[in-house]
Amino acid sequence: MSASAVIRHLAKSEEMFAETHNFVGLGAHLDGPVDTDALAEAFDTLLEVHPVLGGHLERDADQRWQIVVDDLMHPGIMVVDNRDGSAEVVPPHFDQTETLVHLRVVVLDGGAQPTLYVHHSLADGHHQFALIEELFSYYTDLVTTGDLRPGPVEPAPDSLETVLAHRGITKLHRSGLERFMPALFAYELPPSRRTTSTARPSAPQQVPMAWCGLDERQTRAIVDYARSNGVGLNGVLAAVILIAEWQVRGRRRIPVPYIYPVDLRYVLSPPVTATAATNPVGVGTFLADIDHGTDVLDLATRIAEAYRADLAEGVIAQSLLHFTPSYEGNPPGLPDVVMMTDNGVVPPMRTPPGVRLTAVHGELHFQVGGGIEMYTSKIFDGRLMIEYHTHGPDPQRSIDAIATLLAGIAAPADPVIGAGALR
């Protein structure tokens, strides 16, 4: 019988990820040979440096979720040999009561696609990017020098609530959700695309994803447009997505509620390092009133002004002390909420000579039967990519509307370079 130890209970900001059994995948597309044995050793080293990753979740006597570690070995990496293109590539078996992290490596002809999956209660996107950078730093050292020198063992990351408490941040009068009040039960609404299903799958399932991307020149043009107008890339992308949503919804005079996470690592003092906390984010909100005269710059400016005001007043930093956003379904009486996470610029990653990182992608896995709607954005290798993870109907229609608006800003005559869907 193995010995086990309770690390801590999940905080309120983390519990929602346990209730939906939410795992997030970050995939790297590599050109060049990959040594899976060395990658397995690098993964074992990552678990040694961050032992909480080798833990699992259990409910206590009061049915609260807690992080538990034991002395059982992690099952290791999952290798799928798909060099001839005939293998069935399936995700790992996700069970948060067994393990909270997986590494699947799909070996291709001339390359590989490793994907690191981490339970969302342990890590947000920033945290997960840092983990995969660390993993490949170990791997690169192993295959180039035959040795690696890991850092000290890291403690379990703090929750958002702990991070805020240590900095004296407490609940204010406003939560940010007040911005949605004018739209609450104020309109005759069409059926929600975020309708949940009573049928719950037996294990977490991947949310279908559609996407579009720009080339380097178009991406530069979008970034320059945002910078020259003083609104920031996040504001421009949010405005594009919200106008596209308004178009897809039939161009009705119904506002579009918008909610987005804000990485507090860049806001708090003292700052929070990449892996020191699980999900150190606040939430920004905006109610987009759109009509036929609304253009991207006008809407982006209004979004940026609301963001700056709420950030300066401390509303965003303490927002999640008031409420827990739900990824599943839509609040009653409110038009469908749009959620977008801007992952910013994906940093370069160490790889051995002869191995090149050519693309990255995200995956969302939930143990729910429907109701998930989320946009993400990133810039990798100078190229902007928008992903739309949704259980809703016809996601490509939304992506096509976004692509058209982006291309119109970048260069009116140019189409986007790529689009697609993953189901």
Side-chain angles (χ1 to χ4, degrees):
M1 186 173 182
S2 65
S4 63
V6 175
I7 301 300
R8 64 171 176 85
H9 283 94
L10 294 186
K12 184 178 179 181
S13 64
E14 301 162 334
E15 287 177 341
M16 64 176 176
F17 304 119
E19 295 301 330
T20 56
H21 296 237
N22 180 201
F23 284 81
V24 178
L26 178 60
H29 300 233
L30 302 174
D31 278 353
V34 173
D35 184 334
T36 55
D37 289 337
L39 192 54
E41 185 175 346
F43 181 63
D44 289 342
T45 303
L46 185 73
L47 297 185
E48 291 171 5
V49 174
H50 303 273
V52 70
L53 294 177
H56 60 275
L57 299 184
E58 290 182 5
R59 289 191 187 271
D60 67 6
D62 296 323
Q63 295 302 297
R64 288 190 61 197
W65 288 106
Q66 56 191 359
I67 305 171
V68 177
V69 296
D70 54 37
D71 55 8
L72 295 176
M73 290 186 63
H74 189 279
I77 72 172
M78 172 184 179
V79 179
V80 181
D81 188 344
N82 197 30
R83 284 174 290 185
D84 63 2
S86 64
E88 182 183 7
V89 180
V90 297
H93 171 66
F94 296 116
D95 186 341
Q96 64 189 19
T97 65
E98 294 179 359
T99 186
L100 300 174
V101 65
H102 297 271
L103 178 63
R104 184 194 67 190
V105 184
V106 180
V107 181
L108 305 171
D109 183 17
Q113 289 184 6
T115 303
L116 180 68
Y117 300 91
V118 182
H119 196 280
H120 207 336
S121 67
L122 284 191
D124 64 354
H126 189 149
H127 190 144
Q128 193 163 354
F129 272 117
L131 290 175
I132 201 167
E133 282 184 286
E134 186 176 344
L135 170 69
F136 272 89
S137 182
Y138 295 149
Y139 172 74
T140 300
D141 286 343
L142 270 174
V143 298
T144 56
T145 70
D147 194 16
L148 53 79
R149 297 180 180 180
V153 174
E154 296 288 339
D158 288 330
S159 68
L160 167 69
E161 289 85 344
T162 298
V163 166
L164 296 181
H166 286 170
R167 288 156 179 80
I169 297 174
T170 57
K171 188 185 293 187
L172 302 177
H173 178 67
R174 287 182 55 211
S175 69
L177 292 181
E178 299 84 3
R179 292 188 181 277
F180 293 161
M181 295 305 292
L184 190 63
F185 294 105
Y187 299 90
E188 185 175 344
L189 300 176
S192 174
R193 292 186 322 208
R194 298 175 65 101
T195 301
T196 59
S197 170
T198 55
R200 190 177 178 94
S202 59
Q205 304 292 313
Q206 183 172 352
V207 180
M209 186 263 285
W211 64 274
C212 66
L214 302 182
D215 64 23
E216 292 181 52
R217 184 186 60 76
Q218 292 172 317
T219 300
R220 245 185 344 263
I222 297 283
V223 172
D224 290 345
Y225 173 86
R227 184 179 294 120
S228 64
N229 287 291
V231 293
L233 181 61
N234 188 298
V236 170
L237 296 180
V240 164
I241 290 171
L242 291 170
I243 291 174
E245 279 280 338
W246 174 76
Q247 293 173 348
V248 169
R249 296 179 187 193
R251 303 174 186 260
R252 298 184 176 100
R253 285 308 307 268
I254 299 176
V256 183
Y258 172 48
I259 189 168
Y260 55 97
V262 176
D263 192 340
L264 297 180
R265 293 176 180 86
Y266 303 108
V267 175
L268 299 176
S269 180
V272 183
T273 60
T275 58
T278 56
N279 293 269
V281 299
V283 166
T285 59
F286 184 78
L287 187 62
D289 190 9
I290 302 172
D291 59 28
H292 290 84
T294 303
D295 65 14
V296 169
L297 181 57
D298 165 64
L299 184 55
T301 301
R302 286 188 278 138
I303 293 169
E305 288 172 349
Y307 164 73
R308 290 166 185 156
D310 284 354
L311 189 65
E313 294 172 14
V315 174
I316 289 176
Q318 54 83 64
S319 55
L320 292 185
L321 297 179
H322 290 265
F323 66 94
T324 301
S326 175
Y327 287 98
E328 182 185 7
N330 201 69
L334 200 63
D336 278 359
V337 175
V338 171
M339 182 181 297
M340 195 269 281
T341 297
D342 179 13
N343 291 309
V345 178
V346 178
M349 190 173 73
R350 284 186 67 206
T351 54
V355 177
R356 187 169 64 94
L357 179 64
T358 60
V360 295
H361 77 272
E363 299 178 19
L364 300 178
H365 297 257
F366 291 85
Q367 193 175 356
V368 299
I372 304 296
E373 288 262 328
M374 186 187 307
Y375 290 95
T376 65
S377 67
K378 66 175 72 72
I379 294 178
F380 171 75
D381 197 22
R383 304 185 303 267
L384 174 67
M385 181 179 182
I386 305 288
E387 298 178 350
Y388 181 27
H389 304 262
T390 176
H391 287 120
D394 199 8
Q396 197 61 45
R397 186 180 172 208
S398 299
I399 284 294
D400 289 345
I402 291 167
T404 299
L405 289 166
L406 287 173
I409 297 171
D414 287 355
V416 296
I417 62 161
L422 175 64
R423 285 188 172 270

